Amino acid sequence: MSDNDPKSLIRVARENGQKDHLEPIDLGQRVRELRKAGKWTLEQAAKQAGLARSTLSKIENGQMSPTFDALKKLAIGLEISVPQLFTPPQKGQVNGRLSVVASGEGVHQATTTYEHELLAENLTKKTMLPYRARVRARSMDDFDGWVRHDGEEFLYVLTGVVRLFTEFYEPIEMRRGDSAYYDGSMGHNLLSVSDEDALVLWVTSLT
């Protein structure tokens, strides 16, 4: 059997500690789990893997069987080995975890529209991604289309005034103490409309 055959990769994965009686893994579901574990959106993961967003979406939804070349690109993009695509994750409940982040000591990631401060970055296998953000965007033209991602999202305004745009609802102006909960797959963008950039807290689900 060729080393380029996905079946041989499954065999390699099993030889690395998996039992032969395991049920066949759902590759699309596995790819989605790995992408979410890396906190990548569909667009980010597709770009990192050098694949079209539509291709990655079809793979995740079981609408396409990837070629070996696509599998290699996926592995590189998800920063894993190819056999790991076929190795189901070890499930286990982790208890008693705690992460405390002092003000301003999160992991900073700046874009043209938002300046994010990621919180609890030291915790693995999180089901939520919390982060503070300074909203730099002032116009819908600052965005390259709608922001979309898997999961649900909670937004809480800390300072300033923002306007929440979504593809299904009228724009909503929000002030300090206001909050919103919405589906991440629904197109959404957030603008600052106060003199100073607004500060918000976002919590995004990873499942």
Side-chain angles (χ1 to χ4, degrees):
M1 182 179 292
S2 167
D3 287 339
N4 286 358
D5 190 318
K7 292 181 180 178
S8 71
L9 299 172
I10 297 175
R11 173 181 56 75
V12 170
R14 286 175 172 167
E15 288 174 353
N16 287 335
Q18 297 303 315
K19 304 292 186 181
D20 281 341
H21 65 265
L22 288 175
E23 292 295 322
I25 192 166
D26 183 330
L27 180 60
Q29 180 180 345
R30 176 66 172 145
V31 169
R32 184 181 293 110
E33 289 172 349
L34 289 166
R35 174 173 62 77
K36 289 183 176 181
K39 298 186 284 292
W40 292 302
T41 65
L42 198 62
E43 289 86 354
Q44 290 170 334
K47 183 177 180 180
Q48 191 156 312
L51 297 172
R53 181 189 184 281
S54 59
T55 298
L56 181 55
S57 177
K58 288 178 181 178
I59 291 173
E60 288 193 0
N61 290 303
Q63 299 172 348
M64 174 185 292
S65 296
T67 63
F68 182 71
D69 284 339
L71 288 175
K72 287 194 295 184
K73 289 181 179 180
L74 272 174
I76 292 172
L78 296 172
E79 299 177 357
I80 60 172
S81 65
V82 176
Q84 283 179 279
L85 287 170
F86 300 92
T87 306
Q90 297 296 316
K91 294 185 178 179
Q93 182 65 40
V94 180
N95 296 315
R97 300 192 301 166
L98 174 67
S99 175
V100 178
V101 181
S103 178
E105 293 187 3
V107 177
H108 292 267
Q109 294 184 348
T111 68
T112 57
T113 51
Y114 306 124
E115 181 180 334
H116 294 140
E117 182 186 0
L118 305 182
L119 308 173
E121 271 295 278
N122 60 317
L123 291 183
T124 60
K125 299 182 179 178
K126 294 191 294 291
T127 58
M128 299 182 295
L129 176 63
Y131 52 101
R132 280 188 291 261
R134 178 179 298 278
V135 183
R136 294 175 168 178
R138 297 285 173 165
S139 166
M140 289 291 281
D141 294 334
D142 294 337
F143 296 90
D144 184 18
W146 290 114
V147 173
R148 303 177 193 274
H149 51 78
D150 291 334
E152 299 174 319
E153 194 159 76
F154 175 76
L155 165 68
Y156 185 90
V157 182
L158 299 172
T159 66
V161 184
V162 298
R163 187 167 291 129
L164 175 62
F165 289 82
T166 63
E167 62 180 326
F168 300 140
Y169 299 91
E170 292 296 319
I172 303 168
E173 189 165 295
M174 302 172 61
R175 299 174 179 273
R176 179 179 179 179
D178 292 343
S179 64
Y181 190 109
Y182 48 89
D183 290 323
S185 58
M186 174 178 64
H188 56 279
N189 292 326
L190 192 66
L191 306 180
S192 279
V193 294
S194 49
D195 291 338
E196 299 294 328
D197 291 344
L199 294 177
V200 302
L201 173 68
W202 260 309
V203 182
T204 303
S205 67
L206 298 175
T207 59

